Amino acid sequence: MYFGLSEEQTFFQDNVKKFLVDQAPLDVIRQITAEKNTSIQEEIRQGLTNLGLNALLIPEDYGGLGLDLLFAAAVSEGLGSGVAPIAFTGSYVMAPLAIMHGGSDVQKENYLTKISSNTVKFGVGLSEYIGAREDAELIINGNKVNGKALFVIDADDASHFILSDDQGTIFIVDADDSGLEIIELTSVDKTRSYVEILLNNVTAEILDNTVKNNNAIEKTIDAGRIMLAADSVGAAQVMIDKSVEYAKERKQFGRVIGSFQAVKHMCAEMTAELEPCYAIVWHAAHCFDYIPEEARLLACQSKSHISEVTKMVAKKATEVHGGMGFTDLLGLHYWFKRIGMNRQLLGSPELVRDEAGKIQGF
Amino acid sequence: MDLEYGKQYEDYRLEVQEFCKKYKGVQFNDTAKIPLASNNKSGGPVMARSDWQKILIENGYFARSIPKEYGGYGGDSDIIKSRITATEFSNQRIPGPMGGQGIDMLVPTLLELGTEEQKNKFIKPTLHGEMIWCQGYSEPNAGSDLASLQTKGELIDGKWIINGQKIWTSTAQYAQMMFCLVRTEPEASKHAGISYLLVPMDTPGLEIRPLVDMTLQAGFNEVFFTDVTIPGENIVGKRGEGWAVANATLGHERGSLANPNATMNRLNMLINRMKKETIDGKKLIEIPVYRDRLLKIQGKIMAFQSHALRILSSKLNPGQDVKIGKMIQKLVGTELRHELEGLGIDIMGELGTLYEDSPYLRDGGSWQFTYMYYLGLIIGGGTNQIQKNIISERGLGLPREPKVQGV
Ligand SMILES: Cc1cc2nc3c(=O)[nH]c(=O)nc-3n(C[C@H](O)[C@H](O)[C@H](O)COP(=O)(O)OP(=O)(O)OC[C@H]3O[C@@H](n4cnc5c(N)ncnc54)[C@H](O)[C@@H]3O)c2cc1C
């Protein structure tokens, strides 16, 4: 029995973290978020692709690394810790899983190999299935789709999109389809953003096994939620580490602020609440692949619970830094906002808990 | 990640399940004296609590790794087996072994630091539930700052003579023995002047006054010492080493205060109650505001349970480091349980305030009782504020409190 990340998983995660520390320090993040699609961003994307992020979950038969979701969770934690300004959850976790679970053999062969070879890149929009805002909806008619999709993630330089209607039927559209219009949305988290997509008689390739079966979309969303939860854990840990470090240096009243109990207790509370979050998100990722009967509840509960804890951490860590925490200069807000966006993506805590209730038949 | 225990353990699980079937609904005819013992009325075998204890030891379900000559099972320590036993027992609602400060704290201390004679004399009756212990640490002026304790012990003619007062001593009124901290070296510095002594409760000069706690039970006591005289050999460790001896076992206590499996069982009880209980004819589980609170705490409890697996794993896999992970358990576990019990009250509203033998009482009033009981555990065993000091100082390396001059 062993509960935790394996040596290889830790090693891979460390590589991701190290890459981000070296190649995407705060001034680079700042630059990228100020001005999209710069060449630096492309270099970072390329570097992470070189590490194999795009092919992580894809079976070896389709040119991938064939790793499990816990591996991806370890990576996601690393990306969150470095507030990585790149696509991952949508493009390289949800998209391949949607195709693996919902696609026909031909579709798998076609798309999975192309994700592995980095010749297609998916943006993902399942918000209309999870909870439509603004009455957004997508209507499938034969192989044509009309309507709009809101909050599509990982859309930067996507060649294709994976979308679904409110019944959970998943389909693929080509980003170059002439009936497709992409509208950028500006979110508070500048490290990742989302778009709105308007579809006017766009040609859709429906994933065969998603028409009357919601297994694929549920798996896809579960995995996405686990990734976001892991991302938030990584981000929150950095906020705590920065707080502790700052508290050991900053002096007031002739002593370091870390010797004031109010500050110490904030640090202890953040740590005490975050520590079990590692365990639940790893557990959820493990069950996703190996213990399916426990997986759905764990996926929902890890997402909603971690959203609550990391929100608290984001607030307290900022407070530990005093006025400095509130500044753009220090940049702590990148982590704050990352956590804030993860919380709402793929269902806010209340929505996800409601789903957890339904899973249990409440 | 590998959550399988392996074939040999699945066999072991079957064996435990067999045992549980045999003793389903076991009842005790002497529970009155044991606080918080379960009141099982489902018609299984009837026996004394201490006989049950012996059955558990014979089967290796308790005191597994403690040598036979000290009254244990004499097997190898096997954390996975212990866990399987605990899980199956709690699933089948089979009462576990007796716990208490003697078993949880004194026995590990003696095993580690006791003399051969002490081990022979005390461990067996303690394990078998025949010798109950209480912990005499806190004093009226020494709570969180335990090392400032003043109860005095003098070695005169080879005997310890003790004078002073202890307070908050749980179960002192039922106990045969007390392990206590006493100042024996008044000239030494605060921490170096303390010794760890073992005191028979029927020694002349020792007076016990029960203190009623907020649950309206006498959960703890004041204990007064007037020239209480005990044999010189009733000391664990050397003179002045009592602080280190006591610290060896504080960890055992903290680990045992907040069992995630017990919390999960209570959560399941709460879910069942919410499926039955109605307001305006509507089941509570169907009312979104209540349901959201339930699901919110379920998430926390699940995280805490997963965390326990991680801690378990670190014991099985040397080298897996979860240092700070252990430090948070008392804080998180006791707060969580208290919150859960409070939710049990909230969902029942006025019904949740009924107590003792009131009509309409639910679950024997256990939600109210345990809600208060856990507030006691939040304060006891090192308050949760002290836990935060420990996490931030020893875990995160933040500076210790500056010493105030002249206090
Ligand atoms: C149910 C229960 C059972 C108990 N059983 C036993 C027993 O069997 N044997 C035994 O010896 N003792 C027992 N105790 C005593 C227990 O260990 C003490 O109550 C506890 O250590 C706190 O000490 P105190 O009550 O003197 O509170 P105090 O130490 O006076 O604390 C009062 C408040 O001040 C805070 N405080 C104190 N110092 C600090 C600090 N440095 N930093 C921040 N905050 C601080 C505390 O957190 C608390 O909020 C029991 C207590 C309870 C509630």
Side-chain angles (χ1 to χ4, degrees), chain A residues 185-196:
Chain A
L185 304 173
T186 308
S187 80
V188 67
D189 171 19
K190 301 272 189 298
T191 64
R192 296 158 307 164
S193 71
Y194 16 55
V195 301
E196 168 183 8

Side-chain angles (χ1 to χ4, degrees), chain A residues 62 99-100 102-114 172 205-209:
Chain A
Y62 302 107
I99 295 163
M100 276 154 68
S104 65
D105 288 346
V106 175
Q107 288 168 328
K108 287 185 208 170
E109 179 67 41
N110 183 22
Y111 289 110
L112 294 177
T113 35
K114 287 180 183 161
I172 294 173
E205 178 178 350
I206 291 170
L207 293 186
D208 283 7
N209 300 326

Side-chain angles (χ1 to χ4, degrees), chain B residues 99-300:
Chain B
Q101 288 163 323
I103 286 168
D104 294 338
M105 300 179 71
L106 178 85
V107 168
T109 306
L110 288 185
L111 283 170
E112 203 171 315
L113 302 164
T115 62
E116 199 48 43
E117 209 185 339
Q118 288 165 345
K119 290 182 197 175
N120 283 323
K121 188 164 168 194
F122 296 121
I123 295 181
K124 185 168 179 181
T126 305
L127 290 177
H128 287 212
E130 287 150 3
M131 182 181 279
I132 310 246
W133 291 76
C134 60
Q135 175 200 51
Y137 288 0
S138 306
E139 296 178 5
N141 290 317
S144 298
D145 184 11
L146 184 60
S148 67
L149 59 94
Q150 290 304 333
T151 294
K152 198 169 72 176
E154 289 169 291
L155 193 62
I156 297 175
D157 296 337
K159 293 192 159 114
W160 290 107
I161 301 179
I162 308 170
N163 282 285
Q165 186 199 340
K166 295 290 173 182
I167 193 169
W168 320 128
T169 323
S170 302
T171 65
Q173 70 270 51
Y174 315 116
Q176 285 82 42
M177 292 290 294
M178 171 191 276
F179 55 95
C180 65
L181 294 179
V182 172
R183 187 158 301 282
T184 54
E185 329 296 311
E187 303 78 28
S189 68
K190 192 168 158 184
H191 293 85
I194 298 171
S195 296
Y196 189 106
L197 302 183
L198 308 176
V199 183
M201 295 300 280
D202 58 3
T203 315
L206 191 149
E207 190 197 341
I208 302 163
R209 288 188 208 152
L211 278 171
V212 174
D213 65 40
M214 70 189 287
T215 68
L216 301 184
Q217 297 193 356
F220 41 36
N221 304 267
E222 291 177 286
V223 181
F224 297 89
F225 296 77
T226 313
D227 290 332
V228 169
T229 307
I230 61 164
E233 71 260 22
N234 280 19
I235 178 170
V236 182
K238 295 202 181 71
R239 288 179 71 147
E241 285 180 1
W243 187 251
V245 176
N247 271 309
T249 47
L250 273 177
H252 292 281
E253 180 181 32
R254 283 177 190 158
S256 62
L257 286 179
N259 173 351
N261 285 335
T263 307
M264 192 51 100
N265 287 341
R266 278 302 263 183
L267 176 75
N268 290 334
M269 251 179 101
L270 180 67
I271 292 172
N272 288 334
R273 180 134 299 285
M274 287 177 70
K275 286 179 177 168
K276 277 190 259 166
E277 207 72 51
T278 60
I279 184 164
D280 289 336
K282 200 164 176 188
K283 287 192 185 125
L284 297 182
I285 196 92
E286 288 163 8
I287 301 175
V289 284
Y290 291 131
R291 196 174 56 180
D292 191 58
R293 281 194 63 191
L294 172 72
L295 288 160
K296 209 169 183 172
I297 201 160
Q298 183 186 47
K300 290 189 196 181

Side-chain angles (χ1 to χ4, degrees), chain A residues 1-2, chain B residues 2-6 8-10 12-13 16 64 76-88 312-313 315-317:
Chain A
M1 187 267 183
Y2 179 83
Chain B
D2 173 14
L3 300 185
E4 298 293 321
Y5 295 141
Q8 80 198 90
Y9 289 112
E10 289 323 307
Y12 178 78
R13 188 187 297 279
V16 179
R64 199 183 161 76
D76 290 337
S77 149
D78 191 323
I79 301 167
I80 296 180
K81 284 190 178 169
S82 306
R83 186 180 161 88
I84 290 173
T85 313
T87 311
E88 291 302 326
L312 171 71
S313 172
K315 292 181 187 157
L316 296 170
N317 301 282

Side-chain angles (χ1 to χ4, degrees), chain A residues 17-238:
Chain A
K17 284 186 184 168
K18 187 172 177 315
F19 176 85
L20 290 169
V21 167
D22 293 345
Q23 305 297 317
L26 194 55
D27 53 325
V28 169
I29 301 280
R30 230 180 251 292
Q31 208 176 327
I32 290 172
T33 55
E35 170 190 2
K36 269 193 163 182
N37 288 318
T38 56
S39 57
I40 320 178
Q41 187 169 21
E42 190 45 46
E43 275 169 36
I44 293 170
R45 272 191 204 131
Q46 195 53 52
L48 288 167
T49 311
N50 292 346
L51 287 177
L53 257 56
N54 56 314
L56 219 56
L57 295 178
I58 297 175
E60 284 164 299
D61 289 350
Y62 302 107
L65 299 177
L67 298 169
D68 58 18
L69 199 74
L70 184 56
F71 228 101
V75 168
S76 197
E77 214 179 286
L79 294 173
S81 72
V83 289
I86 56 136
F88 180 67
T89 296
S91 304
Y92 304 134
V93 175
M94 295 176 74
L97 284 169
I99 295 163
M100 276 154 68
H101 291 282
S104 65
D105 288 346
V106 175
Q107 288 168 328
K108 287 185 208 170
E109 179 67 41
N110 183 22
Y111 289 110
L112 294 177
T113 35
K114 287 180 183 161
I115 300 175
S116 314
S117 62
N118 212 20
T119 45
V120 302
K121 185 177 167 248
F122 284 98
V124 176
L126 305 180
S127 306
E128 284 60 50
Y129 175 77
I130 295 165
R133 302 275 173 174
E134 292 280 318
D135 296 327
E137 62 174 348
L138 292 168
I139 310 285
I140 307 173
N141 195 346
N143 71 338
K144 295 290 177 190
V145 182
N146 283 285
K148 85 170 164 184
L150 267 176
F151 311 121
V152 177
I153 59 170
D154 291 353
D156 284 0
D157 76 336
S159 62
H160 293 75
F161 292 102
I162 281 195
L163 307 171
S164 100
D165 67 1
D166 63 357
Q167 298 302 303
T169 300
I170 306 181
F171 54 90
I172 294 173
V173 298
D174 193 319
D176 291 333
D177 192 298
S178 60
L180 188 145
E181 186 187 347
I182 298 175
I183 299 163
E184 300 264 342
L185 304 173
T186 308
S187 80
V188 67
D189 171 19
K190 301 272 189 298
T191 64
R192 296 158 307 164
S193 71
Y194 16 55
V195 301
E196 168 183 8
I197 301 183
L198 302 179
L199 299 95
N200 184 4
N201 243 13
V202 169
T203 306
E205 178 178 350
I206 291 170
L207 293 186
D208 283 7
N209 300 326
T210 66
V211 180
K212 285 202 176 66
N213 182 346
N214 279 3
N215 177 50
I217 195 158
E218 282 172 357
K219 280 290 228 189
T220 305
I221 293 171
D222 285 350
R225 286 176 175 159
I226 293 168
M227 290 308 106
L228 295 169
D231 190 278
S232 284
V233 169
Q237 184 65 60
V238 168

